[in-house]
Amino acid sequence: MSTGTETEADAAEESDRMEEAQGKARGLHGSGAPNAVAVDHGPTKLSSVAAVVAGFVAALTSGPFSLLALPLALGGVAMIAGGLFWRTNRTWVTTGTMSLYLAPIIAGALGVAVELLLLSVVSTFLAWNFGQRAIDLGEQVGRHSTTARNEAINISLVTFIGFASAALGYGVYTVSEGSRPVAAVAMLVLAALFLSWAMRS
Amino acid sequence: MSVAKRLATMNIGAVPRRALILLGTLAAVLGIATAILVQPFADILPSTWVIVLGAAVVAFILGVYGMRSRYHGGVTHTQIRDVEVPMATPAPGDDIDRMLYQLTHLRQGTIEYREGIQERLAEAAIAVIRHRENCSREAAMKQLQDGTWTDDEMAASFFSGGSGPQESFADKILGSDESPYEQWVRETVNAIAARAELDPSVTQAAIQDDDDEEGLLDKLLGSSDTVEPRGVQETTEDLYDEADEVADGVFYKELVATGTWRGVTGFSLFAAGVGIFTFTPPVLLLSVVGLGLAAYARLGSSPPLSQLEVERHVDEEMPQPGEEIEVTVAVSNPTDTFMTDVRFVDWVPEPMRVSDGSPRMATALRPGAETSFSYTLVAERGTHEWPLVVLGRDYAGSYERQAIVEVDDPVVNCVPSLRTTGEMAVRSQTSLYSGQVNTAEGGAGLEFFAVREYIQGDPMNRIDWKRHARTGELATIDFRQERAAQVVLLFDARDSAYVSPVAGERHALDRCVDAANEVFAALNDEGNLVGVAAYDTVPLWIGPSAGDDHKEQVRQAFAKHPALSTVPPDGVEEGGRYVDPMVHVRRQLSPEAQIMLFSPLTDDYTAQVARRLDSAGHLVTILSPDPTADRTVGQRLARVERKMRVASLREHGIRVVDWQYDEPLGLDLERAQQRWAV
């Protein structure tokens, strides 16, 4: 009995092997050689995750302080996440960023601590940039390729620049704290704007 | 363009830099002065807040404008084709679909396209009717005009001057993707296909299957924004468009401003506007972050990509077609610049596909650093050399440079070996050389053929001595003569042969060459004289011959000759004088040569060629890989047209092997040989 089933299994195996060989031979002469790899142009993983994390930080540091800011913040994060994980869409990421950006401005107008606001705004920009980078890399290089090092470098560079400019502004702000009129700060901001425009790469 | 827009989009090319610096300095001085000498200023300028308010409004508007420009402007960057998949060749009939699309969706060339489509359909219908009814062309045309050729009223009205279907009420309300005209054409083609007895049930199923349109949700959400169509087709020649050679074997394309940070100033101006307007310094402060990033975006320069050192290794430089080879690309940065953002795309030759790994990589290269990536690709016949495309960005990613680095070290030389698995039937036309093809002539040989009357001078050993002993008459025995056939393998290598049922699959010419490989080996083994020719813009002619040198010459031609290249010719017809591509072949063809014609038979030209050769006394066998599909209207029409072409060729006594797409050649050959033997 047992020998019978064995031979049957052997026969089945053999026919499998023959089929496989025939398939290979057909591959050479017929329609398909080994198939091409799947090309995945979705946003790259590391930057996408970083973008959503940054978005959450931004939302948490601005949303909870105002009933008006909260939906904007959470909606913005959802928008960014949707534009990266659900379907690839740059406009969603940018729209989400705009919505997210409104949250600290509203919270600021209601008198939330400036440190938190700065953290929120920096995180918003980070989320925006990481999201852009994820989509960019996805389109040009693809999720199926090695991109982690490129993403890590970008994340650290932009994070550094973002927090450095926030720190600079914060420094000036604390030094000049007191009864400085808004006009002075406005002028300084305008000065920074014009000078930054004058700078060219 | 307004000044505001120029500022908002940060396109400062037109704004003198000095003015900006001056303005910036002025604002800084004013700001510091206001900060330090609050009281005096407030005294001198009692209406400061008006200015501030004005500034707030301006900032706010500029900010919104900047953000809006970002929203609409998007991002620009270099498009990269999907190098992993082989180039896409069209399916026969795609031209009709394109016409139909332009006609109904874009409303272009209305009259000429309508006429063109009408004519194609009519020709196909007439061919089908003539074939089915065995009637004259006139009778077929009459049937067509009377509309008696089909039961389908809608289809019948197409040729009898009807007005076509009306848009149904439901379609009007819900909107249909298919215009009434398209529906009409589809019905007609289906009717023609049904008349030609191409299984319509399969066709219908295929249509349902193929309509993988976007779902309702996609339509609502408008996924049109999701950038370029996938698999942008760019050939290697296109790659070098507008590229300048900056170093030996390195080409630069123009610097692209990506706009990754576009709108960041808008963001910060918006915050500034709100901050000033509401008199909340913390909100005003928030604009600093955006400004800092805007400054960062303008920093940096494009990395010196031309100095990258690129090396490529291949584990097998002379693979067989279909064999997998592993490619490793190593790139090092010998400069002093930290390249924070470099992306590599190994420009895999068009006919090849990547079966494992990825030919792309994004990384950062420190000075002196080296990186490498590897992937597996499936070799295809030909000699291949390919460049590495490098995309480099500055620190902030605002500018992108595309460089093409030519790597000429490993040349992959993929020459198929001539092997055979079956036999190829040779027809009775032969040359003067002895060989293995039986002829209907008597003479010296082995096999008994006939006994004939003695003619003076016949050799003594062929006299039938037994008969002489019996009757006293002299008779001569003839043996069957065996001669070698002279066969020319003729390729239809025009643009129209580069078709495949599914984009990215092997096209008809590739399959023809595969088949020719086997056929050549089979014929050669049997001692026939085999030549190779192709009609195309590049002529190919290797006269019928035998021997090892000849064999090698043919093998190399199969792999490398431009006429048989796996990549379609540029398709730019030389304007003016039309030269029949067959001229060179006909001039060199000897009258006793048989022709084995390899063609997908997608247009009438090849059928004409076959008939002309046939009437010139050559015996013609056509080996035709079937490249047709049935997913769209045009493809189905092309399938009917081809079917009818094959049928009419067979009626003329020309042998046609209709090689189905998903079947091995041997099977169809066997089938054909059985048919011929009867």
Side-chain angles (χ1 to χ4, degrees):
Chain A
M1 186 66 206
S2 67
T3 49
T5 46
E6 255 173 44
T7 44
E8 252 170 46
D10 282 353
E13 203 173 283
E14 198 168 303
S15 74
D16 275 359
R17 228 180 296 139
M18 270 174 70
E19 261 169 37
E20 200 176 297
Q22 275 169 0
K24 262 187 196 156
R26 218 169 102 176
L28 277 178
H29 304 295
S31 48
N35 280 332
V37 284
V39 182
D40 185 354
H41 283 294
T44 50
K45 281 172 223 139
L46 184 59
S47 294
S48 298
V49 171
V52 174
V53 169
F56 263 113
V57 171
L60 290 181
T61 45
S62 61
F65 305 105
S66 147
L67 213 57
L68 190 59
L70 191 64
L72 284 172
L74 292 182
V77 179
M79 210 62 183
I80 292 173
L84 291 172
F85 287 103
W86 188 36
R87 55 190 57 213
T88 309
N89 195 325
R90 250 178 230 283
T91 314
W92 285 21
V93 173
T94 302
T95 316
T97 307
M98 286 177 182
S99 164
L100 197 52
Y101 188 69
L102 290 177
I105 291 177
I106 292 169
L110 297 174
V112 175
V114 73
E115 293 84 355
L116 273 183
L117 294 180
L118 277 175
L119 179 61
S120 179
V121 165
V122 171
S123 303
T124 304
F125 282 124
L126 294 185
W128 187 42
N129 183 257
F130 300 163
Q132 300 289 335
R133 173 64 61 120
I135 293 175
D136 240 39
L137 279 175
E139 274 168 14
Q140 279 188 340
V141 183
R143 214 208 301 238
H144 60 293
S145 314
T146 319
T147 50
R149 191 174 151 75
N150 180 300
E151 294 174 80
I153 296 279
N154 179 61
I155 289 171
S156 37
L157 259 175
V158 180
T159 310
F160 173 75
I161 299 291
F163 280 106
S165 46
L168 198 77
Y170 184 66
V172 173
Y173 179 79
T174 38
V175 165
S176 68
E177 206 173 19
S179 55
R180 306 294 176 236
V182 178
V185 189
M187 280 298 170
L188 285 175
V189 167
L190 277 181
L193 174 71
F194 286 134
L195 288 177
S196 84
W197 272 347
M199 239 167 62
R200 286 218 230 172
S201 54
Chain B
M1 193 155 76
S2 70
V3 175
K5 188 167 181 184
R6 261 212 298 265
L7 290 176
T9 54
M10 302 199 302
N11 179 8
I12 56 162
V15 183
R17 200 170 154 192
R18 278 186 191 176
L20 279 173
I21 295 178
L22 200 75
L23 265 173
T25 322
L26 201 73
V29 170
L30 221 81
I32 291 166
T34 329
I36 297 168
L37 317 160
V38 188
Q39 214 44 50
F41 255 91
D43 290 344
I44 297 166
L45 297 169
S47 56
T48 315
W49 67 274
V50 175
I51 300 170
V52 168
L53 212 66
V57 169
V58 167
F60 188 80
I61 290 171
L62 276 180
V64 171
Y65 208 95
M67 279 154 79
R68 191 179 150 274
S69 83
R70 168 56 195 230
Y71 190 81
H72 290 288
V75 174
T76 327
H77 64 74
T78 313
Q79 306 288 342
I80 297 291
R81 101 175 154 91
D82 278 351
V83 291
E84 286 86 349
V85 293
M87 79 208 144
T89 39
D94 280 1
D95 51 335
I96 302 173
D97 290 328
R98 205 172 318 117
M99 265 200 242
L100 207 54
Y101 178 81
Q102 285 180 333
L103 185 63
T104 52
H105 290 252
L106 310 176
R107 308 208 176 277
Q108 285 172 350
T110 320
I111 292 167
E112 58 211 275
Y113 284 156
R114 230 171 226 268
E115 276 176 0
I117 290 170
Q118 178 113 15
E119 209 169 289
R120 283 282 290 267
L121 286 175
E123 278 304 321
I126 288 171
V128 169
I129 295 168
R130 282 184 68 189
H131 181 67
R132 285 281 149 214
E133 310 266 316
N134 215 354
C135 61
S136 69
R137 192 183 162 84
E138 282 69 35
M141 276 171 83
K142 177 133 182 30
Q143 274 203 27
L144 209 58
Q145 274 159 6
D146 296 345
T148 52
W149 61 282
T150 174
D151 297 334
D152 189 325
E153 277 174 29
M154 205 202 271
S157 69
F158 191 83
F159 299 111
S160 54
S163 58
Q166 294 298 314
E167 204 166 10
S168 75
F169 183 69
D171 281 351
K172 257 181 202 162
I173 300 293
L174 297 169
S176 168
D177 273 354
E178 201 179 36
S179 73
Y181 184 70
E182 274 177 300
Q183 211 179 329
W184 202 16
V185 171
R186 179 168 57 84
E187 279 297 320
T188 311
V189 169
N190 282 352
I192 296 172
R195 197 81 172 79
E197 285 181 9
L198 292 171
D199 189 4
S201 64
V202 179
T203 347
Q204 286 301 332
I207 317 166
Q208 300 305 328
D209 246 22
D210 189 57
D211 284 347
D212 54 333
E213 298 166 34
E214 302 172 354
L216 187 65
L217 193 64
D218 291 72
K219 272 183 201 157
L220 288 177
L221 295 168
S223 60
S224 60
D225 181 71
T226 41
V227 274
E228 82 283 6
R230 296 283 168 242
V232 182
Q233 276 304 310
E234 191 184 43
T235 58
T236 309
E237 280 82 49
D238 293 340
L239 183 66
Y240 287 94
D241 275 356
E242 292 172 23
D244 299 319
E245 188 159 11
V246 287
D248 193 25
V250 182
F251 294 82
Y252 266 5
K253 287 219 185 186
E254 209 153 295
L255 205 62
V256 177
T258 59
T260 308
W261 290 105
R262 180 185 299 151
V264 71
T265 328
F267 275 104
S268 72
L269 281 177
F270 179 78
V274 174
I276 298 168
F277 196 75
T278 56
F279 285 91
T280 36
V283 174
L284 187 54
L285 176 66
L286 296 183
S287 62
V288 171
V289 180
L291 287 178
L293 287 170
Y296 170 63
R298 324 203 125 260
L299 211 79
S301 55
S302 84
L305 300 178
S306 62
Q307 290 171 42
L308 285 174
E309 284 169 4
V310 181
E311 260 180 59
R312 189 188 288 133
H313 298 283
V314 181
D315 69 346
E316 174 62 65
E317 289 191 19
M318 299 183 76
Q320 281 291 312
E323 200 178 315
E324 296 192 325
I325 53 176
E326 184 162 331
V327 183
T328 308
V329 181
V331 186
S332 61
N333 173 15
T335 64
D336 296 333
T337 322
F338 185 9
M339 302 189 187
T340 50
D341 186 354
V342 272
R343 302 159 187 201
F344 307 113
V345 181
D346 211 12
W347 210 254
V348 177
E350 282 100 336
M352 307 231 235
R353 66 190 77 207
V354 174
S355 63
D356 193 27
S358 170
R360 318 185 192 206
M361 185 193 200
T363 191
L365 282 175
R366 266 180 295 109
E370 188 184 309
T371 185
S372 72
F373 58 99
S374 56
Y375 59 95
T376 310
L377 60 76
V378 182
E380 285 294 338
R381 72 194 164 80
T383 307
H384 305 286
E385 235 179 275
W386 62 99
L388 175 76
V389 169
V390 185
L391 298 162
R393 292 191 176 189
D394 63 338
Y395 295 124
S398 321
Y399 292 96
E400 180 176 280
R401 164 82 79 194
Q402 182 182 5
I404 304 153
V405 184
E406 287 184 337
V407 187
D408 50 8
D409 182 19
V411 178
V412 173
N413 211 338
C414 182
V415 182
S417 62
L418 298 172
R419 60 190 147 47
T420 176
T421 52
E423 292 183 356
M424 186 66 210
V426 187
R427 301 180 73 175
S428 52
Q429 193 172 32
T430 54
S431 67
L432 292 170
Y433 300 92
S434 60
Q436 290 185 9
V437 182
N438 292 331
T439 58
E441 282 169 48
L446 292 170
E447 190 193 341
F448 175 79
F449 180 68
V451 179
R452 62 168 165 82
E453 219 170 285
Y454 174 77
I455 300 168
Q456 213 167 10
D458 277 347
M460 224 162 44
N461 60 357
R462 278 171 53 196
I463 294 175
D464 190 352
W465 293 111
K466 285 180 186 163
R467 175 190 282 240
H468 181 65
R470 214 165 42 235
T471 62
E473 285 169 22
L474 277 175
T476 306
I477 300 175
D478 265 348
F479 295 95
R480 188 186 289 282
Q481 285 209 325
E482 292 188 338
R483 297 257 174 83
Q486 205 184 87
V487 187
V488 173
L489 309 182
L490 180 59
F491 290 93
D492 170 13
R494 292 164 308 134
D495 244 357
S496 61
Y498 291 91
V499 281
S500 56
V502 179
E505 280 290 349
R506 315 196 61 185
H507 51 72
L509 186 64
D510 260 353
R511 282 156 51 81
C512 282
V513 174
D514 280 356
N517 244 318
E518 295 201 9
V519 169
F520 179 84
L523 294 175
N524 196 53
D525 286 353
E526 283 168 16
N528 298 304
L529 306 173
V530 192
V532 177
Y535 53 95
D536 183 28
T537 37
V538 199
L540 162 63
W541 175 262
I542 301 174
S545 177
D548 285 346
D549 286 354
H550 178 68
K551 212 169 152 179
E552 184 57 25
Q553 194 188 353
V554 170
R555 199 166 81 95
Q556 295 294 338
F558 279 162
K560 293 176 192 166
H561 197 280
L564 302 179
S565 154
T566 48
V567 184
D570 265 347
V572 187
E573 288 281 320
E574 289 294 319
R577 202 157 53 95
Y578 173 73
V579 183
D580 187 344
M582 266 298 285
V583 167
H584 82 278
V585 177
R586 235 177 281 128
R587 200 176 291 151
Q588 298 179 83
L589 204 57
S590 73
E592 68 263 28
Q594 299 183 28
I595 306 289
M596 201 132 325
L597 182 54
F598 293 85
S599 166
L601 289 174
T602 42
D603 59 7
D604 283 330
Y605 181 78
T606 306
Q608 276 171 26
V609 165
R611 304 233 311 248
R612 244 184 286 163
L613 286 170
D614 185 60
S615 54
H618 302 282
L619 288 175
V620 181
T621 306
I622 301 179
L623 209 160
S624 174
D626 183 359
T628 57
D630 61 359
R631 294 184 303 275
T632 66
V633 176
Q635 291 169 355
R636 261 171 278 153
L637 182 65
R639 174 169 279 189
V640 174
E641 286 174 343
R642 181 173 173 280
K643 210 87 194 162
M644 289 304 116
R645 222 167 272 139
V646 170
S648 99
L649 282 169
R650 281 181 178 156
E651 274 168 20
H652 280 80
I654 294 167
R655 288 180 174 180
V656 183
V657 182
D658 192 0
W659 181 16
Q660 296 308 310
Y661 196 81
D662 43 7
E663 278 174 9
L665 175 63
L667 210 68
D668 277 308
L669 269 182
E670 229 162 74
R671 223 177 272 155
Q673 265 157 20
Q674 276 169 11
R675 194 172 56 233
W676 298 335
V678 173

